[in-house]
């Protein structure tokens, strides 16, 4: 090891520069799965509010749980590597979606009392529920896009 | 745990003394370089990426694991057994030091 030349060092650096395990497919799987978790969260909150009081909440919760399980299973089976920093990016996105979900639920609860533009006793319009779902999903959609594009290298 | 020929952080001597003996071997260098681009990777994915046999990869990974540079995790995907490889924090730090030494030698 003591007689390594500058050319050999450059060769090793070239090897390091070109080394990669993660494929575009792996990146796509993790990016889409992360975005999918966000969409599932947003859709669940929006649909749950729309179905509030109809008795369909339990089947909806079951569908939500199955959807999350299916996403995790697909992510685990389809990808052979976890792109660098994708877990961290995913957790940051999840934390953002969770915070926005709590804020959105509080906002919808306040609106249901007749304040902040809501009408007491009236169900929310689909437009408002769609907006709530998109807001909740947004951080994980951004995280998914970052993972897809390459994330923090 | 560092296998460098001089203590980490030492500023004396030629940069080649900062090279890590464990990482310097060509196959192990390729393994560490590949793992440095991921959070975790399947044994088979690393094998295919660096183009070595299962036995060669297994042997070199054992050496890296013994040095504390790689963490090996065994599990199942469905009913199929899977082995996952991950660079430890110490492994990543040693790799960065090794790269810094290589850059110093290449620029000399």
């Amino acid at each position: 090891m003591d007689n390594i030349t500058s050319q050999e060092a450059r060769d090793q650096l070239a090897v390091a520069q070109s080394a990669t395990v993660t494929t575009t497919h792996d990146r796509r799987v993790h990016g889409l799965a992360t975005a999918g978790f966000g969409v599932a969260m947003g859709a669940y909150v929006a649909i749950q509010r729309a179905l509030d009081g109809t008795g369909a909440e339990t089947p909806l919760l079951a569908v939500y749980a199955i959807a999350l399980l299916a996403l995790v299973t697909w992510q685990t089976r389809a990808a052979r590597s976890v792109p660098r920093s994708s877990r961290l990016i995913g957790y940051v996105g999840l934390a953002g979606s969770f915070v926005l979900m709590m804020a959105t639920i509080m906002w919808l609860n306040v609106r249901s009392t007749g304040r902040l533009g809501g009408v007491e006793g009236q169900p929310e319009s689909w437009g408002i529920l769609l907006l709530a779902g998109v807001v909740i999903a947004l951080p994980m959609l951004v995280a998914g896009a970052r993972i897809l594009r390459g994330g923090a290298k | 745990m560092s296998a460098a020929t001089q203590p980490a952080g030492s500023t004396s001597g030629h940069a080649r003394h900062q090279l890590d003996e464990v990482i310097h071997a060509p196959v192990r260098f390729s393994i560490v370089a590949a793992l440095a681009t991921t959070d975790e990777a399947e044994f088979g994915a690393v094998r295919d990426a660096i183009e070595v046999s299962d036995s060669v990869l297994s042997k070199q990974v054992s050496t890296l694991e013994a040095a504390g540079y790689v963490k090996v995790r065994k599990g199942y995907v469905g009913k199929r057994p899977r082995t996952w490889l991950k660079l430890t924090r110490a492994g990543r730090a040693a790799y960065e030091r090794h790269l810094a030494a290589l850059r110093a030698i290449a620029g000399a």
Side-chain angles (χ1 to χ4, degrees):
Chain A
M1 191 162 88
D2 282 350
N3 57 0
I4 183 170
T5 65
S6 59
Q7 184 56 48
E8 286 168 338
R10 276 193 287 274
D11 290 345
Q12 283 214 9
L13 287 169
V15 169
Q17 197 75 37
S18 61
T20 184
V21 180
T22 303
T23 61
T24 307
H25 170 76
D26 293 341
R27 208 169 278 293
R28 191 178 300 135
V29 168
H30 285 281
L32 290 177
T34 303
F37 286 123
V39 170
M41 280 175 79
Y44 173 72
V45 170
I47 297 171
Q48 194 273 336
R49 296 296 292 207
L51 299 179
D52 200 17
T54 63
E57 291 101 326
T58 306
L60 177 66
L61 184 61
V63 169
Y64 177 56
I66 289 168
L68 292 184
L69 197 65
L71 264 175
V72 170
T73 305
W74 172 69
Q75 185 181 18
T76 310
R77 291 187 179 198
R80 298 177 78 200
S81 72
V82 182
R84 180 93 181 107
S85 301
S86 68
R87 281 186 176 151
L88 177 66
I89 294 168
Y91 289 141
V92 169
L94 180 63
S97 282
F98 185 77
V99 168
L100 286 178
M101 183 178 76
M102 301 308 286
T104 303
I105 289 172
M106 281 193 281
W107 174 62
L108 291 173
N109 285 343
V110 171
R111 277 179 60 86
S112 70
T113 64
R115 285 177 287 176
L116 296 178
V119 181
E120 190 174 359
Q122 292 293 310
E124 288 290 356
S125 69
W126 277 105
I128 291 290
L129 293 177
L130 181 66
L131 177 67
V134 169
V135 166
I136 292 167
L138 200 58
M140 293 208 79
L141 288 172
V142 172
R146 276 206 69 183
I147 293 168
L148 207 62
R149 285 205 324 266
K153 287 180 181 172
Chain B
M1 178 174 175
S2 174
T5 50
Q6 282 199 353
S10 170
T11 53
S12 63
H14 193 275
R16 67 177 179 275
H17 297 305
Q18 304 297 323
L19 291 171
D20 190 298
E21 285 176 359
V22 175
I23 294 176
H24 192 62
V27 175
R28 289 199 291 271
F29 181 79
S30 295
I31 295 168
V32 172
L35 288 177
T37 64
T38 68
D39 280 352
E40 198 173 44
E42 264 186 35
F43 183 93
V46 178
R47 177 201 59 208
D48 295 346
I50 66 170
E51 299 172 354
V52 292
S53 65
D54 283 0
S55 58
V56 168
L57 180 58
S58 183
K59 187 181 173 192
Q60 301 303 334
V61 164
S62 295
T63 304
L64 290 166
E65 190 182 19
Y69 290 173
V70 167
K71 188 178 177 189
V72 179
R73 179 171 70 85
K74 291 182 185 292
Y76 284 86
V77 175
K79 290 181 179 175
R80 293 180 182 174
R82 286 277 192 277
T83 301
W84 293 80
L85 308 176
K86 178 184 182 176
L87 212 53
T88 62
R89 192 170 292 184
R92 208 170 281 282
Y95 178 59
E96 290 300 328
R97 284 195 301 273
H98 189 81
L99 285 183
L102 285 176
R103 283 189 203 103
I105 294 167

